[in-house]
């Protein structure tokens, strides 16, 4: 049985950042998970990051593994917007530096007994840890409107089911959604020769950076926008300070989160969507399976006959969907709306159990849903892990 001080579940941006910050505490640490799995399996080839490059560093304590350092090491410039394959390559490069011994087995269960955690791995092996950091991402949280449940995967799929949209080439596809994923998927499908229509519930589709002049005001721009650009002018500065954000009255935190995460596409998608019809203010009210196709009825009583429906309908955090968290452990985790309620150092109500990434967004705000949040999160987490280790060793 392997015994470690800290087990980090997940080797995406948050798990890797945690590995580098916790790694220098002198504790024995295991990082478990397939590196950059979500980016390799659940996002489409050809995609580009919506985040600016300056907000796409996977944090490490000495800033040795930033995107700029990767660019220098590779000896070729990193394009902007950043293509997904380059970001994956960057993530794997970071992993080789900060977690060379990553264990790519899946964690199937985490049990908690007498202040220690026991992790069962997919091949039957076991590990024990004094502290566990869950950085397992959002894959299990894919939100699928239930009216599509009756359809088999060949007729309706979630955007995260795809790593290559060209499997739908030549087909008629309705894309449901209005965010970056919906709009970029529609562009990629159109370019793959599909007949595509975007069906958006929102009354209009928003594109970011519609007012480029706002981003060319030098110091004034820096006063209004944090580099991550999560949220509109002004708000983006607040979102970039999760420690302050969490002190706001709850009602403001919730309101600002909705505003900062409003579905929108990057401006560079606009020319690529010129020939893609986008219907706004429409809701699918009826779904009928036809022979090898789907008939959709919309709230304006119009109908669409399509070969496939792509649900770019986002993700809803519900940590109860992490299959590796059994009911008796979940019962001990103080939760609200599916999120764990976390301490100042990302610790849940179970001592020594931490959550990073999107599940931390209720406690620390929208930045936690983005790679840009890895710096603050991993630094803060490491302080908590160090303090808890001190208590445990007393
Ligand atoms: C289409 C799309 C586009 C996006 N674009 C951007 C963007 O431009 N900029 C941005 O900042 N964010 C973007 N995001 C959000 C992005 O997903 C997060 O910023 C980022 O992935 C968070 O990192 P993470 O480490 O929390 O999760 P993930 O990257 O999902 O990593 C989780 C890791 O956990 C591992 N894991 C899960 N379960 C287990 C288990 N049981 N056992 C072992 N390991 C496990 C997986 O192997 C995976 O490597 C986008 C999301 C989507 C869906």
């Amino acid at each position: 049985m392997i015994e470690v001080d800290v087990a980090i579940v997940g080797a995406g941006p948050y798990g890797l950042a945690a590995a580098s910050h916790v790694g220098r505490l002198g504790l024995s640490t295991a990082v478990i998970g397939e590196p950059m799995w979500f980016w390799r399996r659940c996002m489409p080839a050809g995609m580009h990051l919506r985040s600016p490059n300056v907000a796409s560093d996977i944090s490490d304590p000495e800033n040795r593994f930033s995107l700029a350092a990767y660019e220098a090491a590779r000896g070729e410039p990193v394009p902007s917007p950043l293509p997904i394959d380059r970001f994956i390559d960057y993530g794997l490069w970071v992993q080789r530096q900060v977690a060379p011994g990553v264990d790519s087995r899946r964690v199937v269960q985490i049990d908690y007994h007498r202040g220690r955690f026991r992790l069962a791995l997919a091949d039957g092996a076991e590990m024990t840890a004094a502290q566990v950091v869950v950085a397992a991402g959002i894959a299990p949280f894919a939100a699928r409107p239930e009216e599509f449940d009756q359809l088999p995967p060949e007729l309706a799929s979630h955007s995260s089911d795809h790593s290559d949209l060209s499997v739908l080439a030549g087909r008629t596809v309705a894309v449901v959604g209005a965010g970056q994923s919906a709009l970029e998927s529609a562009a990629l499908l159109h370019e793959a020769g599909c007949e595509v229509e975007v069906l958006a519930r929102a009354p209009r589709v928003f594109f970011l950076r519609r007012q480029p002049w706002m981003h060319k005001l030098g110091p004034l721009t820096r006063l209004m926008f944090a580099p991550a650009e999560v949220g509109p002018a002004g708000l983006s500065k607040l979102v970039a300070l999760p420690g302050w954000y969490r002190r706001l009255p709850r009602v403001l935190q919730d309101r600002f989160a909705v505003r900062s995460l409003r579905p929108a596409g990057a401006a560079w998608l606009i020319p690529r969507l010129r020939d893609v019809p986008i219907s706004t203010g429409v809701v699918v009210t009826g779904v009928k399976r036809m022979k090898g196709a789907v008939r959709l009825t919309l709230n304006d009583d119009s109908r669409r006959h399509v070969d496939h429906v792509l649900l770019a309908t986002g993700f809803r955090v519900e940590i109860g969907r992490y299959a590796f968290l059994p009911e008796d452990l979940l019962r001990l985790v103080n939760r609200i709306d599916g999120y764990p309620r976390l301490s100042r150092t990302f610790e849940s109500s179970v001592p020594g159990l931490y959550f990073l990434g999107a599940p931390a967004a209720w406690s620390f705000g929208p930045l936690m849903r983005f790679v840009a949040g890895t710096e603050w999160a991993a630094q803060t987490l490491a302080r908590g892990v160090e303090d808890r280790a001190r208590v445990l060793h007393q």
Side-chain angles (χ1 to χ4, degrees), residues 56-383:
S56 303
D57 288 341
I58 298 173
S59 171
D60 69 278
E62 279 134 23
N63 204 25
R64 285 165 54 213
F65 308 122
S66 62
L67 203 50
Y70 162 79
E71 189 172 35
R74 280 275 181 274
E76 52 176 328
V78 173
S80 172
L82 185 56
I84 186 174
D85 54 344
R86 294 301 295 277
F87 185 67
I88 292 169
D89 190 57
Y90 163 59
L92 297 177
W93 177 79
V94 174
Q95 174 262 307
R96 287 194 292 277
Q97 328 278 334
V98 305
V102 70
D103 184 334
S104 55
R105 290 176 288 185
R106 276 195 92 65
V107 173
V108 291
Q109 184 148 329
I110 302 178
D111 290 304
Y112 178 65
H113 186 59
R114 294 192 180 176
R116 222 175 147 79
F117 298 90
R118 181 183 290 255
L119 289 82
L121 307 181
D123 63 356
E126 291 194 335
M127 182 183 286
T128 71
Q131 305 192 61
V132 170
V133 178
V134 175
I138 54 173
F141 309 149
R144 298 165 203 258
E146 59 185 26
E147 51 271 33
F148 295 95
D149 284 352
Q150 49 165 310
L151 298 179
E154 61 275 17
L155 294 182
S157 56
H158 190 268
S159 52
S160 64
D161 293 333
H162 297 273
S163 57
D164 181 4
L165 286 171
S166 71
V167 293
L168 297 172
R171 295 161 80 179
T172 308
V173 183
V175 177
V176 179
Q180 173 74 7
S181 178
L183 299 169
E184 190 165 18
S185 297
L188 289 166
L189 288 165
H190 171 67
E191 288 151 8
C194 295
E195 202 178 305
V196 195
E197 179 180 3
V198 176
L199 302 175
R201 194 173 45 185
R204 59 174 281 214
V205 165
F206 292 94
F207 287 96
L208 299 171
R209 287 184 174 240
R210 275 231 153 149
Q211 295 119 337
W213 59 269
M214 269 197 171
H215 293 263
K216 290 180 184 154
L217 300 176
L220 205 56
T221 297
R222 283 195 291 281
L223 268 179
M224 292 188 299
F225 290 99
E229 298 193 17
V230 177
L235 198 47
S236 116
K237 295 292 275 191
L238 189 57
V239 168
L241 301 167
W244 287 100
Y245 191 93
R246 83 184 246 119
R247 293 185 206 176
L248 295 172
R250 187 75 238 168
V251 58
L252 287 185
Q253 288 191 45
D254 291 345
R255 195 178 303 159
F256 292 164
V258 170
R259 178 63 190 86
S260 303
L261 298 169
R262 182 174 73 178
W268 44 260
L269 281 171
I270 296 171
R272 292 173 59 192
L273 289 169
R274 199 168 290 134
D275 297 321
V276 174
I278 298 178
S279 300
T280 53
V282 294
V283 179
V284 176
T285 53
V287 177
K288 191 162 169 41
R289 184 175 177 177
M290 313 290 277
K291 247 195 205 147
V294 187
R295 189 185 73 197
L296 301 175
T297 307
L298 307 183
N299 55 335
D300 59 4
D301 288 335
S302 64
R303 287 182 170 169
R304 307 288 191 275
H305 288 85
V306 294
D307 300 324
H308 194 87
V309 185
L310 186 72
L311 302 167
T313 38
F315 298 83
R316 195 168 308 118
V317 173
E318 171 47 83
I319 59 161
R321 288 210 191 169
Y322 281 141
F324 53 81
L325 293 180
E327 199 45 52
D328 51 351
L329 176 51
L330 275 169
R331 258 199 304 272
L332 303 176
V333 180
N334 189 342
R335 281 174 286 165
I336 186 142
D337 292 338
Y339 293 83
R341 200 190 273 266
L342 301 175
S343 75
R344 278 185 299 122
T345 55
F346 291 81
E347 195 172 21
S348 69
S349 49
V350 177
L353 180 66
Y354 305 79
F355 289 85
L356 291 185
W362 191 88
S363 299
F364 294 98
L367 194 70
M368 297 300 116
R369 296 175 184 273
F370 296 86
V371 177
T374 58
E375 180 170 12
W376 195 85
Q379 268 173 10
T380 311
L381 166 85
R383 278 203 300 278

